[in-house]
């Protein structure tokens, strides 16, 4: 019998409070590699808090959070180089140009893909000389996605990545996800409060509600549970 795969993210009874607000309520999760995972739930359900624990931005108040086999708060530079992350807010160094920011980030990664960088710059219509501060929210989000995927990470975490994208850019983004998931070892976690943004690409679903993980199943299982009946009148 083959040994079970090391989880890319493992939570054990993870809890987090902000004052009187319970953001995560004893969440446990074992996420195996090689899936595109939709982290679904309404705004305020705990999705962003969970993802920030996974990359070590938040430390557990109760329970454990391990990423790539290591406590998330202790991730080394080598392990962090295997993780790509796009924040919901799209926080970038605004005083740099697009070219300068890409060069700055590229210097930290040995596995940076220059061909993918060039293609995405052109497809995303990112002007190299433009200041990051001058970019529209949609262009900033495209740039953040480029910076996250060009190192070809083993774990790619995307927090509401389509929120600032127009319909054409959303289509390009979904095509890109389908391309980079071809590696069986790569895992992508996409959070969204809109199922339609991710249903075409995910194969596993996590659903959160009021800080609790209420569903953890394949997307095919979820589709079998829910259906929509359309009744039309006849003349």
């Amino acid at each position: 019998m083959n040994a079970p795969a090391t989880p890319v993210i493992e939570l054990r009874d993870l809890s987090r409070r902000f004052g009187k607000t319970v953001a995560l309520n004893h969440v446990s999760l074992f996420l195996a590699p090689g899936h595109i995972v939709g982290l679904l739930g309404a705004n305020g359900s705990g999705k962003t808090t969970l993802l920030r624990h996974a990359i070590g931005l938040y430390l557990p108040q109760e329970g454990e959070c391990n990423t790539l086999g290591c406590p998330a708060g202790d991730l080394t530079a080598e392990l962090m180089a295997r993780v790509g992350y796009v924040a919901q807010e799209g926080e970038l160094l605004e005083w740099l140009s697009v070219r300068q920011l890409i060069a700055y980030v590229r210097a930290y990664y040995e596995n940076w893909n220059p061909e993918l960088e060039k293609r995405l710059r052109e497809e995303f219509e990112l002007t190299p000389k433009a200041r990051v501060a001058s970019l529209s929210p949609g262009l900033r989000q495209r740039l953040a996605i480029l910076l996250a995927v060009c190192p070809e990470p083993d774990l790619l975490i995307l927090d509401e990545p389509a929120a600032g994208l127009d319909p054409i850019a959303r289509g390009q983004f979904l095509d890109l996800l389908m391309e980079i998931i071809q590696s069986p070892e790569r895992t992508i976690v996409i959070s969204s409060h809109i199922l339609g943004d991710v249903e075409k690409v995910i194969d596993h679903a996590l659903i959160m509600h009021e800080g609790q993980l209420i569903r953890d199943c394949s997307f095919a299982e979820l589709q079998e549970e829910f259906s929509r009946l359309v009744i039309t009148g006849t003349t």
Side-chain angles (χ1 to χ4, degrees), residues 42-106:
N43 289 331
S45 61
K47 303 187 303 297
T48 294
T49 302
L50 188 155
L51 295 179
R52 288 181 175 177
H53 277 84
I55 60 171
L57 287 179
Y58 290 159
L59 300 179
Q61 292 174 331
E62 298 179 42
E64 300 177 21
C65 176
N66 297 310
T67 301
L68 300 176
C70 174
D74 298 329
L75 288 169
T76 63
E78 181 181 359
L79 288 173
M80 283 300 298
R82 296 170 55 195
V83 180
Y85 176 65
V86 176
Q88 185 174 1
E89 299 85 359
E91 297 175 356
L92 300 171
L93 300 178
E94 296 189 344
W95 60 89
L96 297 178
S97 68
V98 169
R99 178 187 289 114
Q100 290 170 332
L101 181 58
I102 292 175
Y104 172 76
V105 175
R106 183 174 59 224

Side-chain angles (χ1 to χ4, degrees), residues 196-211:
D197 280 348
V198 298
E199 64 179 345
K200 293 182 180 179
V201 296
I202 65 174
D203 59 42
H204 197 88
L206 304 172
I207 301 179
M208 298 197 68
H209 178 66
E210 296 182 350

Side-chain angles (χ1 to χ4, degrees), residues 172-192:
Q172 293 173 332
F173 171 65
L174 293 178
D175 290 342
L176 176 62
L177 287 185
M178 294 305 296
E179 175 184 328
I180 63 179
I181 196 58
Q182 298 305 314
S183 169
E185 301 301 322
R186 182 167 294 134
T187 305
I188 303 176
V189 181
I190 318 169
S191 80
S192 180

Side-chain angles (χ1 to χ4, degrees):
M1 178 180 293
N2 294 329
T6 300
V8 289
I9 298 175
E10 184 177 15
L11 311 180
R12 296 181 181 178
D13 215 24
L14 181 66
S15 293
R16 178 80 187 198
R17 286 180 171 83
F18 296 99
K20 296 182 178 180
T21 301
V22 179
L24 295 176
N25 188 3
H26 300 286
V27 176
S28 294
L29 171 66
F30 185 103
L31 187 58
H35 294 282
I36 302 185
V37 181
L39 179 59
L40 310 171
N43 289 331
S45 61
K47 303 187 303 297
T48 294
T49 302
L50 188 155
L51 295 179
R52 288 181 175 177
H53 277 84
I55 60 171
L57 287 179
Y58 290 159
L59 300 179
Q61 292 174 331
E62 298 179 42
E64 300 177 21
C65 176
N66 297 310
T67 301
L68 300 176
C70 174
D74 298 329
L75 288 169
T76 63
E78 181 181 359
L79 288 173
M80 283 300 298
R82 296 170 55 195
V83 180
Y85 176 65
V86 176
Q88 185 174 1
E89 299 85 359
E91 297 175 356
L92 300 171
L93 300 178
E94 296 189 344
W95 60 89
L96 297 178
S97 68
V98 169
R99 178 187 289 114
Q100 290 170 332
L101 181 58
I102 292 175
Y104 172 76
V105 175
R106 183 174 59 224
Y108 288 91
Y109 294 98
E110 293 182 1
N111 295 327
W112 187 273
N113 187 329
E115 291 79 17
L116 180 60
E117 172 201 326
K118 182 177 184 296
R119 178 164 67 82
L120 292 183
R121 270 196 293 108
E122 295 172 353
E123 291 183 3
F124 286 173
E125 298 180 342
L126 294 166
T127 303
K129 294 182 179 180
R131 292 288 174 185
V132 173
S134 71
L135 300 179
S136 68
L139 287 175
R140 291 167 65 95
Q141 193 72 341
R142 295 183 193 190
L143 177 56
I145 291 169
L146 180 152
L147 296 174
V149 302
C150 283
E152 299 189 325
D154 295 328
L155 171 61
L156 178 60
I157 296 176
L158 305 165
D159 192 1
E160 298 279 359
L165 301 180
D166 57 58
I168 293 177
R170 286 188 182 201
Q172 293 173 332
F173 171 65
L174 293 178
D175 290 342
L176 176 62
L177 287 185
M178 294 305 296
E179 175 184 328
I180 63 179
I181 196 58
Q182 298 305 314
S183 169
E185 301 301 322
R186 182 167 294 134
T187 305
I188 303 176
V189 181
I190 318 169
S191 80
S192 180
H193 63 281
I194 302 174
L195 178 59
D197 280 348
V198 298
E199 64 179 345
K200 293 182 180 179
V201 296
I202 65 174
D203 59 42
H204 197 88
L206 304 172
I207 301 179
M208 298 197 68
H209 178 66
E210 296 182 350
Q212 293 184 309
L213 184 62
I214 61 173
R215 293 295 281 126
D216 178 356
C217 63
S218 73
F219 189 55
E221 291 177 45
L222 192 67
Q223 288 175 310
E224 289 178 0
E225 290 183 24
F226 297 93
S227 60
R228 179 169 57 181
L229 179 63
V230 179
I231 301 176
T232 60
T234 58
T235 56

